[in-house]
Amino acid sequence: MVHAMVLIHRHLAMLLMVLGLQTCVTAQTVDWTNGVLPILQSRCIECHGPDTQESKLRLDTMTEALRGGNSGEPVIIPGDSHRSYLVERITSRDPILRMPPDSAPLSDKEQALLKAWIDAPLLWTEAKVALSKTAITHWSFQPVVRPRVLDPVDAKPVDAKPIDAKPIDVLIAAKLREAGLTMSQQAEKRRLIRRLFLVMHGLPPTQKQVDHFLADQRPDAWNELVDLVLDSPRYGERWAMHWLDIVRFGETNGFETNRERPNAFPFRDWVIAAFNSDKPYDQFVKQQIAGDVLGEPVGTGFLVAGPNDIVKGQDPLLGLMQRQDELTDMVNTTGTAFLGLTTGCARCHNHKFDPISQSDFYALQAVFAGVEHAERKLPLSPDATRRRTEIEDEIHRLRNDLSQYARQRGSRDSVNAKENIEDFPATEAKFIRFTISATNAAEPCIDELQVFSDNQNVALASNGASVRSSGDYEHPLHKLEHINDGQFGNSRSWISSVRSGGWVAIQLPKPFLVERIVWSRDRQGNFSDRLATDYRFETSLDGDEWKQVASSIDRIPFGNGKMEIQYDFAGLGEVEMKAAKNSLERIQLLEKEKSILLETAKAYVGSFKKPEPTYRLHRGDPTASREQVAPGAIAALGELRLDNASPEQQRRLAIANWIVSSDNPLTARVMVNRLWQFHFGIGIVDTPSDFGANGTLPSHPELLDWLASEFMECGWSLKHMHRLILTSTTWQQDSRPRSEAIQKDSTSRLLWRFPPRRLEAEGIRDCMLAASGKLDSRMGGPGFSAFEVELENVRHYFPKKDYGPADWRRMVYMTKVRQEKDSIFGVFDCPDGSQVTPKRSRSTTPLQALNLLNSRFVMQQADFLAERIELEGGSMEQRISLAYELCFGRTANNSECTEAIAFVAEHGWPSFARAMLNTNEFIFIP
C-alpha cells in the first residue's frame, strides 16, 4: 500500500505541475488505514505544460492543491473525485489531454487509489480551513484607513489646525522632503484663473472674469472663484467627457454596419446633469447599474454604452459568442470603471495577477445575464408631462371648433392581406372598377376579385365576365387573367404597372344587382407586401358614368389602429375656410410636436429580461459549459448572497450596493485617483483602471487613503473633493521648471510644480470657438455630426468639408461615431468609444500640426477671430492686445506687440489669427 501511494504521489506531482502548479513531492510512510495523508515537502521545481495558461503556483501543502491552477477548473473537489479536474485528466482517452504527459497512463489500481484519496472529505478539512484564512496582501485590497496627518512643524494633527495647513499639502511636502525637493511658489493670478477654467471647464475664462479676479484682493477671492466654476454648467460638460471615456460611450453600434444609435444621447446628458448637480458618487454608481430600480432609468445607459454587433446571422454558435462578448463588455467595464480591476481577464481562466477566479467572472456575468442592448421607453419628465397636457388640451379645443366639419374615418377594421369584404347597398351594375391610390409597399397585387349578387360570384371568367386594367406589371407569374379565374394564391394574382392610381375593371356578362365585393392580396396568407391600403370601388351600367360604392375611407388606416378624423370645408366662405384650415394646420403641428415629445422619451439604455442560467465556460468557450454559477461578486472581496433564482433587478441592485459599500476597499480609492489624474495629468496610481498586482504602486499611498476616506465621509461629494484639491497649495503652484528639481524628478511626479500639459481634443476645439466668438453654449439633446453619412446597410462616414452654426456647439455634443474619428481633432488622441479609455495618450505628430494650420475648420475659425479682432478692437495696438486677451488671457508685452504689428502688416489679420490658434500657449494648460 505504501509503495502504491508513493507511486501516486510521484504521478500526482507531475499532474499538478502540468495543471498549472509547481512542486516536488517526497512521500513518507503513510498509514492509510489510520487516515494519515503523506507529507508534501516543497523543493520549488518549475514546470509548465500545455494546459497551464503559463501559470506558476507552489504546491507546498494540500491547501495549494485545493487552490488549483489558473485554468479555472477545480483540480480537486474533496469528496467528489468525479467532478475533480485532476481525475478528468488522468482518465482522459485523448492522448493530448491525458496526464501524466509522455508517460504510460495510471493503472486502474492507481486511479482508484487517487480517487479514494480525493473522496475522503475529512482528510481535506484542515486544508479547507487554511485556504479560507489565506490573506490577500496586495495594497489595494486592504481596508481604507484614514491616516493621521501631522504637521511636521509642531506634530499636531493637521485637521485641527487653520485652513492653511491642509492634509494634501502636508502629505505632498513630506514626499518632496524625502527626495530633497520643495514646492514651487504660487502661480500668478492670471495663470491660476486660466488653469482653473481650462481644467474645470475646458474653456478659457472671459476677460471680464479675469479682470474681476485680478482686482479682487479679498482673502477668500480664490475660494469664491472655485465655487463659481463648480456652479457653472460648463463644469458638468467638461467632467462628463472624462467619464464617457471611462465607460466607452458611443452613439453607433460599431462592427461592420456601425449603425447609428439616435437615442443614445440621453445618457450623455444624464452624466452631465449628474456632475452639475453634485450627485453623490455612490448614487451615481448605483444608478448606472440599477437606475431602473432607483428612479433614474437613463442611468442604465452605462450598461449598454459599449459596441454591439447587430448582425446575428444564422449560425447559433455565432450568436452564443456574440452574447458572451456583450456580457463580457458589461463585466469588464463595471470592473475597470468602478473597481479599477481588469475583471475581463478572468473570462477564460483565473486571473493571472489578481484574486479573481474564472468562477468570479461568471458570477459577475450572471448579475448582468438579463441585460440586453436595446432602446427603452422612459417615463416623461415633469416638464414634458406638463407640455403634453397643454398640447392635448389645445388639440381638444381645436377639434371641438372643427367638429361641425368632421367626417370620422376608422369605423371598419384595417385592410389585411388574406381577405377584405366590402358591403354596400344593393346596386345595379355591369362594370366594377377597383382603383388603388396607395399600398404598404411597391405596386399593388390583387389575388382574386369576387363580386357577389345573391351570394353568387358573378365576376368569374368562367361565367362570361371579362377584365381590363390601366396597365399590367410584366412578370411570368402575375397576369391580368388571374384576377377572376377562381384560383387563389400569390402565383394566381395580378400586379398593377403603377404604384398609385392603377385600376382593374371587371365587365359582367349582363347587369346584376350586386351588394358585396371580396378581395385579397394573398388568400393563402403567405405574402403581405403590395397590399392596397388606400382604394375605392366604383360601379357603372355603361362604363362611362361611375358611382363609388365602397372605399378605404371608413377603415382604420393601415398600421395605425385608431380612428382618424377628416374634415370637409366645402361651402365655407373665404374667411371661415381660412380660419378652419389654420386650425387644422395647428392641430397637425401639435400632433407632430406630441409625437416628437413621446419619441424623445425613448433612450438607448438597455432592456431587461428574466436571466437565463449562467455556466462557467471552459476556456471561455460557449459550447463548453461547466457547472452553473449563481450571481455574485469577487469572492475574495465579498459576497452577494444571491442564488440562481434571484430576480434580475435584485442582482444588479445587489452588485451596485456591494460596489459602493464602505467595506469595499477599491471604489473610493479608484475615483479619487481619477479626480487627481484629471487635475494633475497623472494619477497617484498611474494605471487608473488597474489597481491590481499588474498595476503600478501609488506614488503617495497615505494621500490616496486620506482622499478616499474623506470622499466617503463627506457623503461621496465630488465637488467637495474638487474644492480640497483646487484650494491646496499643491494645485496652485507655478508650473515653470526648476533645473535642480528636474534633475531629481523630471516627470514632476512628486508635484514640486504643477505639471503643464496640452489640452485634449475637445478643449482645443472648444477654445477656438470661444476665441472666435462662435461657441454655441446650448446644452443637451441630439448632437451634431462631424460626418456626412451614406445611409447604406453598412454605414459609410465621410468627414464634413463645410461647417456651419450647427457644428459650433461644444465637442462633448458631437455624435460619437465608433471606428471613426473627427478628421481634424481626432488626431489629438481622441478615443472612438470602441473600448474603455481611462487615460488618453498625449502624442505629438506632424498631422496634428498640419490639421491645426490648414484644416477648413481652423481656417474658418481663424477668419472669424480676425473679424472679431477688427470689429471689437480700436487701434492696431488695441487689436493686438484684444487678440492676446482672447487667446491667452493676458495682454501682449511690448516686444510681442511690435512683432505682431509687423506680421499683420505683411500677412494680414486672418494669418495672424491662425498663428495665434496654433501656439503652445493657446492649447496648453499652464
Side-chain angles (χ1 to χ4, degrees), residues 120-179:
L122 293 178
L123 299 179
W124 298 88
T125 302
E126 185 177 344
K128 285 182 179 181
V129 172
L131 186 61
S132 67
K133 293 181 177 180
T134 302
I136 301 174
T137 59
H138 186 64
W139 70 268
S140 67
F141 301 132
Q142 308 310 307
V144 175
V145 177
R146 186 184 185 96
R148 191 163 181 264
V149 182
L150 299 178
D151 186 334
V153 176
D154 54 13
K156 292 181 179 179
V158 169
D159 291 343
K161 291 183 66 65
I163 194 168
D164 58 341
K166 297 181 174 66
I168 289 176
D169 297 327
V170 170
L171 292 168
I172 291 294
K175 281 287 184 180
L176 289 173
R177 280 195 304 275
E178 291 176 8

Side-chain angles (χ1 to χ4, degrees), residues 244-544:
L244 295 175
D245 277 1
I246 292 166
V247 301
R248 83 306 189 206
F249 173 75
E251 293 175 84
T252 63
N253 287 319
F255 294 92
E256 66 266 35
T257 58
N258 207 18
R259 297 254 187 112
E260 303 87 346
R261 291 179 182 171
N263 291 319
F265 71 86
F267 177 69
R268 172 248 291 154
D269 292 348
W270 182 85
V271 173
I272 292 172
F275 277 101
N276 278 330
S277 66
D278 197 23
K279 185 187 291 289
Y281 182 69
D282 59 340
Q283 294 181 28
F284 182 61
V285 172
K286 290 165 65 174
Q287 290 167 7
Q288 289 179 83
I289 296 174
D292 55 312
V293 188
L294 302 170
E296 292 285 348
V298 179
T300 59
F302 158 81
L303 298 172
V304 293
N308 177 42
D309 191 353
I310 63 173
V311 180
K312 301 304 180 186
Q314 301 298 316
D315 184 357
L317 178 58
L318 175 61
L320 291 174
M321 293 177 65
Q322 288 173 324
R323 180 58 177 160
Q324 282 298 311
D325 289 342
E326 291 173 12
L327 294 172
T328 296
D329 173 64
M330 296 177 202
V331 171
N332 185 60
T333 307
T334 300
T336 57
F338 303 129
L339 302 172
L341 293 177
T342 54
T343 49
C345 292
R347 175 180 179 177
C348 301
H349 51 79
N350 293 343
H351 201 292
K352 289 187 179 182
F353 305 103
D354 300 329
I356 307 173
S357 69
Q358 192 188 26
S359 294
D360 289 340
F361 174 87
Y362 287 100
L364 289 168
Q365 189 185 101
V367 170
F368 302 110
V371 182
E372 292 189 318
H373 277 261
E375 289 184 340
R376 195 168 77 245
K377 191 171 183 179
L378 305 174
L380 291 176
S381 67
D383 288 343
T385 301
R386 185 165 49 252
R387 180 56 186 153
R388 178 183 181 179
T389 301
E390 293 171 355
I391 290 172
E392 290 174 343
D393 288 346
E394 186 175 356
I395 290 174
H396 179 71
R397 179 178 58 78
L398 291 170
R399 287 203 187 281
N400 281 341
D401 294 343
L402 296 176
S403 59
Q404 57 188 313
Y405 314 116
R407 291 187 295 134
Q408 280 194 340
R409 180 179 180 184
S411 59
R412 291 199 295 152
D413 289 340
S414 177
V415 295
N416 67 86
K418 290 190 71 172
E419 183 182 71
N420 300 283
I421 299 174
E422 314 289 341
D423 288 313
F424 47 88
T427 302
E428 189 176 16
K430 186 176 181 181
F431 300 89
I432 296 90
R433 185 168 67 189
F434 183 12
T435 304
I436 301 105
S437 300
T439 71
N440 66 341
E443 297 83 356
C445 179
I446 308 300
D447 181 358
E448 183 75 11
L449 191 57
Q450 299 171 297
V451 180
F452 289 91
S453 176
D454 289 333
N455 294 321
Q456 180 184 358
N457 181 10
V458 295
L460 287 169
S462 59
N463 291 336
S466 60
V467 62
R468 60 193 179 95
S469 74
S470 59
D472 309 324
Y473 186 89
E474 294 185 7
H475 193 280
L477 291 180
H478 305 282
K479 302 180 184 298
L480 181 60
E481 58 263 30
H482 292 165
I483 202 75
N484 64 336
D485 63 356
Q487 299 185 55
F488 302 126
N490 181 66
S491 61
R492 305 297 299 182
S493 61
W494 164 80
I495 298 180
S496 172
S497 61
V498 294
R499 183 166 184 170
S500 176
W503 54 264
V504 60
I506 292 179
Q507 181 178 344
L508 305 178
K510 64 177 183 178
F512 284 92
L513 203 62
V514 298
E515 73 282 338
R516 181 161 48 100
I517 297 171
V518 179
W519 64 277
S520 65
R521 159 63 182 96
D522 177 13
R523 200 69 65 90
Q524 296 175 344
N526 296 320
F527 293 86
S528 58
D529 61 339
R530 301 179 180 272
L531 173 63
T533 57
D534 189 355
Y535 62 87
R536 67 181 182 274
F537 282 98
E538 300 163 295
T539 63
S540 175
L541 284 170
D542 58 8
D544 292 325

Side-chain angles (χ1 to χ4, degrees), residues 81-110:
S81 61
H82 179 71
R83 291 173 51 224
S84 297
Y85 190 52
L86 177 61
V87 173
E88 178 182 332
R89 295 299 295 272
I90 66 171
T91 58
S92 174
R93 296 184 179 182
D94 186 334
I96 297 177
L97 297 177
R98 189 186 63 231
M99 295 294 139
D102 303 323
S103 178
L106 297 182
S107 67
D108 292 344
K109 184 176 181 180
E110 290 172 331

